[in-house]
Amino acid sequence: MSTSNRESPEVATLYKWSWRDRLWHTPLRDILKGNLSGARDFQYSVRTSGLPKSAINTIVKTVCATRLSRNEKIEVSRELVAHFQDALYGRQNDPLQRTECSQAEVERVVHEFGNPTAVAKLIRANMIRKRSLLTRIAHAVFQGVGVFIMLAFLVLVIQFIRYVVSEPRVSRDFIVEHNNAILQAPNDAVAWPRYKQILPAALMDIANDPEWPDYAGVLPTSPHWPAQLAQLQRLAPEIAAIRQAAQLPTLGAPLLLVSDPDLAPYRMQDKNESGFSQPAKVQDYETTPLLFLIPDEPMSDIRVLARLIGADAHAAIFEKDGNRFVADLEAMIGMAKQTRDAPFRMRQLQSALMYQHATQLMTTALKSEASFLSDTHLLALDSAFASFGERERVRVNLSGERDSIVDLLQHVYSDNGQGDGHLTFQGWQTITRAMNSHTSRLALRSSPQLGTADMLASGAMLNLVSAGRKQMLDKFDQVAAEFAKNYDRPLWEWDAESEDLPSVKQCEESMLTSLRYSWVCIYCAAYTSDYHTAEVATQARDTMRVAIALARYRLAHNAFPASLDSLIPTYLDRIGPDRIDGKPIRYIVKCGKPLLYSIGMDRIDNGGRTIRLEDGKVWSYQKWISQELANRVLKTQQPLRSDFDGDVILWPRDESYINEAENIVFEGS
Amino acid sequence: MDRIDRDLMRGVGPLAVLSLLASREMYGYELIDALAVRSDGTLGMGQATLYPMLYNLESKGLVAGRWATAESGRERKYYRLTSKGRKKLAQDTQQWEQVVAAMSALGVHAFVRALGWVWPRTHIQAHVGSAGAL
């Protein structure tokens, strides 16, 4: 007889049972009663059953191996405890007072019980049959979810390893390819080398005169007027050189990863004086030579020169110097045309802005009562304005943007040799650092740098949902095709708004899509404005040509024509279309002042009646939207209808001029 | 006596358990004990086999279990035959009687004798006559 075979009553304390275990194994009803009974822990009840250790171990091993639910385990364990108690102690009552069993007896009973694992297998199979249909379904679902989670986890791990281990392979140098195309033109046809010679003097002069940025719109009545004239006189040789360079057919400014060393010192002075932060570090771009983030610094230089020319043209108006004005405007339009030689949206936008600036200056010149412009001047200006863009309209050339995204993908995604691949950690680091650097530069302050762990995690998450390289490019082509189909035609033929295009809709409505095709969705947002800008430039060009023709007619006839038809064919071969409906731009003379107008988004010719806001101000903003959206607005969006009720003055877009034309006098004005 | 072959027991076991439960409800160990004693060890079932078998019969609705505390103070699960179980027992008994008769006709008397502990003697005698020598 031995007592060593039996669990002592202290087993409960020996059995590690934290309050968390106890809570976990306590039924809700007991918890509500404040009793952490732990009744759902079969091990506890088995170990405190008073059975010999080997029997307990057999039961525990068997029950554990059944892998049944907790309730089922409790049931089985209870039955097995009863079984062993019956087998060992027969009908004795108190387990603690009964006769002890010999070790041999215990071993016999345990042996007769059989192999716990085999028993567990049989018990499990039959207990599962006992389950109700609902329980079995629930269990199957639970198991299914478990398998799914396991598989998902496995996929996650594989994805993560793939993301970390893979490397992008850069096979094409798009910057070199584009520069080859840009630099293909003969030296005597490219303007950039000449601009580079002019820039140091221009930039230095600006740097030495912090008030220069205000000069572009200075009037003779301004106290700055003499200073501006002095500066323009000082820079007369540079202005003359700009005019000459602007006559050349192409800009030929290469895409540079690093600041041009010839110009960097002057740019630095300008930026520091203007309160700008230090420009991005050169090495940021050297290490991440991404086409779409390239610092197109020649564009900012061209802007400086265009402003200088603009200031000179502005001064020429007030000095009534027709030749100078024409030369300056030809130069500005020439620069706008040159800038279009690279198929990137930023250059196209810049080009349109310079052209718009030229139209504003022209408007100012034409408004002056005693015009200083002869017919020869006007003819030359008409020719200059007409030369911008294609004959029918200014078109958008975004072919370089596809290269930008292909370049981005090759820097960020892996390459399986067949044009496909996935996001890589190395690539994600490249893009994150590059964008961070770019953002810092634009925001004029430092953005927080992402640490390695942040990049590892964020990229891994994005990698889970991000489309593959090929899918991404296919999506881009799909978006570009949708945009081209809808927008690559005159405004009056646009079918839908960008947000109605299927691809854009997906990007905007589905978070998953916007993450999956993140790079493409970022591009989507910008595309509409490119096409809008082209339409705005086209309308400005066609309107300006009519305005110049009117001025020429007036010079010849000392009056404005009753109809624009009188301008054809002597002054114009055709009247450019109103972009809203494709019909010729509308014309009216009010109080002796000619007005060119569009019928506006309501598509109703109100005889040149302008849209006025509640405070009486002229609403001269044309809405560049499709007919479809305009109709929708007119039907449903009442608050916006007032913006549509009337015509939009295209020329001259000048509040006081229009008020005079409409004989409206505001008190105190 | 030697235990019978496992394959044979697989068919016999459930019927034997149902038969035992036909008279009264019994708990697990009691069934094991009864099977071993009443068949003189022939149908002595591995203890591990009984419980899965009971769960199986329970899942089919042939037996039903209930927990009860015995006079000894010990908690046990008692199994009883359900009405479905009774029908099943009747069907299987009939089939076994046919088997027994067939086996007997083939002269396999030992087999018939071995089963004598489960079924009432009258049932078997009706089929095998005095040749059964039970």
Side-chain angles (χ1 to χ4, degrees):
Chain A
M1 303 291 274
S2 164
T3 53
S4 62
N5 287 330
R6 294 181 51 189
E7 292 278 10
S8 68
E10 288 78 21
V11 70
T13 54
L14 293 174
Y15 178 46
K16 284 183 183 174
W17 218 43
S18 69
W19 69 268
R20 272 193 294 266
D21 293 333
R22 195 183 290 235
L23 180 67
W24 176 245
H25 291 106
T26 301
L28 186 61
R29 62 171 185 277
D30 290 355
I31 293 174
L32 293 175
K33 287 177 190 169
N35 175 21
L36 292 183
S37 64
R40 297 185 71 191
D41 183 11
F42 83 89
Q43 287 209 38
Y44 182 76
S45 57
V46 171
R47 290 182 191 280
T48 53
S49 63
L51 287 168
K53 198 177 281 179
S54 54
I56 286 171
N57 288 342
T58 304
I59 296 171
V60 169
K61 200 171 171 188
T62 306
V63 176
C64 283
T66 59
R67 294 183 290 114
L68 292 166
S69 69
R70 277 199 304 186
N71 285 343
E72 288 168 336
K73 280 180 178 171
I74 289 168
E75 189 184 342
V76 172
S77 66
R78 281 172 76 190
E79 186 143 33
L80 294 185
V81 165
H83 167 84
F84 275 97
Q85 285 175 339
D86 285 330
L88 291 170
Y89 311 123
R91 295 178 188 282
Q92 294 170 82
N93 289 343
D94 184 355
L96 298 178
Q97 297 302 318
R98 64 199 162 211
T99 313
E100 299 298 340
C101 299
S102 69
Q103 177 70 29
E105 180 68 3
V106 172
E107 290 306 321
R108 184 189 63 78
V109 172
V110 168
H111 177 74
E112 280 183 358
F113 182 77
N115 180 346
T117 312
V119 177
K121 205 172 165 186
L122 284 170
I123 290 175
R124 176 179 167 74
N126 288 289
M127 283 297 282
I128 285 172
R129 284 195 200 113
K130 267 179 69 177
R131 289 173 182 166
S132 67
L133 182 64
L134 200 65
T135 311
R136 270 188 269 180
I137 290 170
H139 196 77
V141 169
F142 188 72
Q143 276 188 324
V145 170
V147 169
F148 177 79
I149 290 170
M150 286 292 288
L151 285 175
F153 182 72
L154 195 68
V155 169
L156 277 177
V157 170
I158 292 169
Q159 288 262 27
F160 185 76
I161 292 169
R162 205 176 61 151
Y163 160 70
V164 174
V165 171
S166 307
E167 288 179 0
R169 198 182 71 188
V170 179
S171 53
R172 286 178 68 182
D173 190 335
F174 284 96
I175 294 169
V176 168
E177 286 180 27
H178 276 279
N179 281 342
N180 285 343
I182 289 168
L183 299 172
Q184 214 173 23
N187 282 342
D188 57 355
V190 292
W192 177 244
R194 297 166 193 235
Y195 290 143
K196 266 182 69 174
Q197 289 174 353
I198 303 163
L199 274 162
L203 290 168
M204 282 296 288
D205 203 272
I206 293 162
N208 292 331
D209 191 344
E211 289 186 90
W212 188 85
D214 295 329
Y215 289 167
V218 166
L219 295 169
T221 51
S222 162
H224 296 297
W225 179 250
Q228 180 172 29
L229 291 185
Q231 186 186 45
L232 292 172
Q233 205 165 14
R234 220 168 36 239
L235 293 170
E238 283 74 23
I239 291 169
I242 294 169
R243 287 181 195 139
Q244 278 195 337
Q247 289 172 14
L248 295 169
T250 58
L251 179 64
L255 305 170
L256 296 176
L257 285 173
V258 296
S259 284
D260 191 322
D262 297 337
L263 299 174
Y266 307 104
R267 289 200 191 101
M268 288 287 286
Q269 283 196 37
D270 173 33
K271 284 166 184 169
N272 287 337
E273 287 293 329
S274 307
F276 282 64
S277 67
Q278 293 292 321
K281 289 176 188 170
V282 168
Q283 57 265 34
D284 290 341
Y285 298 107
E286 281 178 331
T287 52
T288 55
L290 294 164
L291 188 57
F292 92 105
L293 285 180
I294 201 158
D296 204 359
E297 289 188 321
M299 285 303 98
S300 58
D301 296 329
I302 295 291
R303 266 204 306 275
V304 169
L305 298 183
R307 280 161 64 189
L308 184 59
I309 285 287
D312 195 63
H314 197 247
I317 294 171
F318 295 100
E319 291 183 341
K320 303 200 182 300
D321 187 341
N323 289 336
R324 186 174 153 202
F325 179 76
V326 171
D328 286 340
L329 248 62
E330 281 178 336
M332 188 172 284
I333 294 169
M335 291 164 85
K337 284 156 61 182
Q338 287 170 348
T339 312
R340 282 167 57 84
D341 71 349
F344 296 105
R345 58 185 306 270
M346 291 313 291
R347 288 204 176 185
Q348 310 267 315
L349 284 171
Q350 171 121 345
S351 163
L353 284 173
M354 283 193 281
Y355 187 76
Q356 288 274 51
H357 193 184
T359 62
Q360 285 162 10
L361 287 163
M362 188 69 213
T363 299
T364 308
L366 290 179
K367 275 194 313 178
S368 57
E369 284 298 327
S371 178
F372 59 97
L373 297 169
S374 68
D375 189 64
T376 312
H377 291 143
L378 291 169
L379 192 60
L381 287 164
D382 178 52
S383 174
F385 276 106
S387 66
F388 186 75
E390 292 71 19
R391 180 178 150 72
E392 288 305 314
R393 62 195 169 88
V394 179
R395 303 191 73 148
V396 182
N397 181 1
L398 298 173
S399 58
E401 296 304 317
R402 189 180 192 277
D403 289 344
S404 291
I405 199 150
V406 174
D407 185 50
L408 169 74
L409 294 176
Q410 72 166 354
H411 276 93
V412 178
Y413 282 62
S414 64
D415 185 2
N416 68 355
Q418 295 172 332
D420 208 354
H422 55 84
L423 193 70
T424 62
F425 177 48
Q426 193 179 316
W428 182 238
Q429 282 180 306
T430 301
I431 187 72
T432 312
R433 285 185 182 140
M435 290 193 77
N436 192 283
S437 159
H438 192 72
T439 311
S440 304
R441 191 160 173 267
L442 293 179
L444 309 178
R445 60 185 163 77
S446 291
S447 302
Q449 293 287 332
L450 286 178
T452 305
D454 294 330
M455 279 194 274
L456 200 64
S458 56
M461 294 298 286
L462 186 62
N463 187 36
L464 289 176
V465 291
S466 181
R469 182 173 171 164
K470 192 171 181 307
Q471 275 184 315
M472 192 73 81
L473 197 56
D474 288 347
K475 188 73 176 177
F476 179 86
D477 289 338
Q478 186 192 341
V479 170
E482 280 176 17
F483 267 88
K485 190 181 171 199
N486 188 59
Y487 286 124
D488 200 9
R489 42 190 179 163
L491 171 65
W492 64 85
E493 290 180 10
W494 290 0
D495 288 329
E497 291 304 302
S498 62
E499 61 264 28
D500 294 326
L501 298 177
S503 301
V504 181
K505 221 171 184 172
Q506 280 181 345
C507 281
E508 289 181 354
E509 290 177 359
S510 164
M511 171 72 86
L512 188 65
T513 306
S514 65
L515 283 172
R516 183 162 175 73
Y517 300 105
S518 45
W519 311 121
V520 178
C521 288
I522 290 168
Y523 266 86
C524 276
Y527 260 23
T528 319
S529 64
D530 297 332
Y531 289 101
H532 281 187
T533 305
E535 280 298 289
V536 171
T538 305
Q539 187 74 88
R541 181 192 69 179
D542 293 348
T543 305
M544 190 46 61
R545 291 200 66 203
V546 177
I548 291 169
L550 283 171
R552 291 182 66 204
Y553 185 97
R554 191 193 185 195
L555 274 180
H557 300 88
N558 207 27
F560 290 109
S563 154
L564 292 182
D565 293 339
S566 308
L567 300 175
I568 299 171
T570 312
Y571 303 100
L572 278 176
D573 56 348
R574 63 175 187 126
I575 304 297
D578 180 346
R579 308 308 291 177
I580 299 300
D581 67 350
K583 292 179 181 166
I585 292 167
R586 274 72 174 184
Y587 165 72
I588 195 166
V589 180
K590 287 184 178 179
C591 298
K593 292 179 181 293
L595 289 171
L596 297 174
Y597 67 92
S598 160
I599 56 172
M601 293 315 302
D602 63 355
R603 263 85 174 167
I604 296 168
D605 189 343
N606 301 103
R609 176 174 61 78
T610 55
I611 302 166
R612 297 237 172 216
L613 302 174
E614 283 181 6
D615 60 0
K617 301 268 184 195
V618 176
W619 173 267
S620 56
Y621 177 71
Q622 182 70 283
K623 289 185 183 298
W624 301 95
I625 57 175
S626 66
Q627 169 85 62
E628 191 269 335
L629 179 61
N631 290 342
R632 242 190 293 159
V633 171
L634 287 167
K635 278 181 189 166
T636 58
Q637 298 177 13
Q638 288 299 324
L640 283 174
R641 283 199 56 173
S642 57
D643 298 348
F644 287 23
D645 186 18
D647 300 328
V648 175
I649 303 299
L650 298 174
W651 187 89
R653 294 178 69 172
D654 181 288
E655 180 100 21
S656 58
Y657 181 97
I658 296 168
N659 286 338
E660 284 173 30
E662 295 197 332
N663 201 17
I664 292 174
V665 179
F666 290 99
E667 281 183 24
S669 64
Chain B
M1 251 185 126
D2 292 337
R3 286 188 182 183
I4 61 173
D5 182 74
R6 180 185 290 182
D7 289 340
L8 196 54
M9 191 62 201
R10 194 171 294 155
V12 177
L15 190 53
V17 170
L18 290 177
S19 181
L20 285 174
L21 294 176
S23 53
R24 64 181 176 87
E25 64 178 14
M26 298 170 87
Y27 55 89
Y29 190 77
E30 193 179 10
L31 279 166
I32 292 168
D33 205 26
L35 279 170
V37 171
R38 291 178 63 179
S39 67
D40 197 15
T42 305
L43 293 176
M45 197 174 283
Q47 296 175 5
T49 319
L50 179 80
Y51 294 102
M53 187 190 291
L54 285 170
Y55 299 147
N56 186 20
L57 294 174
E58 212 175 1
S59 72
K60 290 174 181 169
L62 302 177
V63 302
R66 69 174 180 93
W67 284 94
T69 307
E71 288 175 6
S72 61
R74 197 172 293 151
E75 203 180 26
R76 293 186 182 115
K77 189 175 181 184
Y78 288 85
Y79 293 90
R80 64 178 172 76
L81 212 57
T82 61
S83 56
K84 192 178 173 184
R86 287 188 192 286
K87 281 180 194 166
K88 175 75 174 162
L89 175 64
Q91 282 174 2
D92 288 0
T93 303
Q94 195 179 3
Q95 285 176 4
W96 269 101
E97 283 171 356
Q98 289 169 1
V99 171
V100 168
M103 297 302 281
S104 180
L106 290 171
V108 189
H109 301 299
F111 175 79
V112 176
R113 200 166 44 243
L115 296 173
W117 63 272
V118 175
W119 286 276
R121 283 166 192 273
T122 49
H123 284 193
I124 296 174
Q125 279 172 344
H127 290 279
V128 300
S130 56
L134 291 164

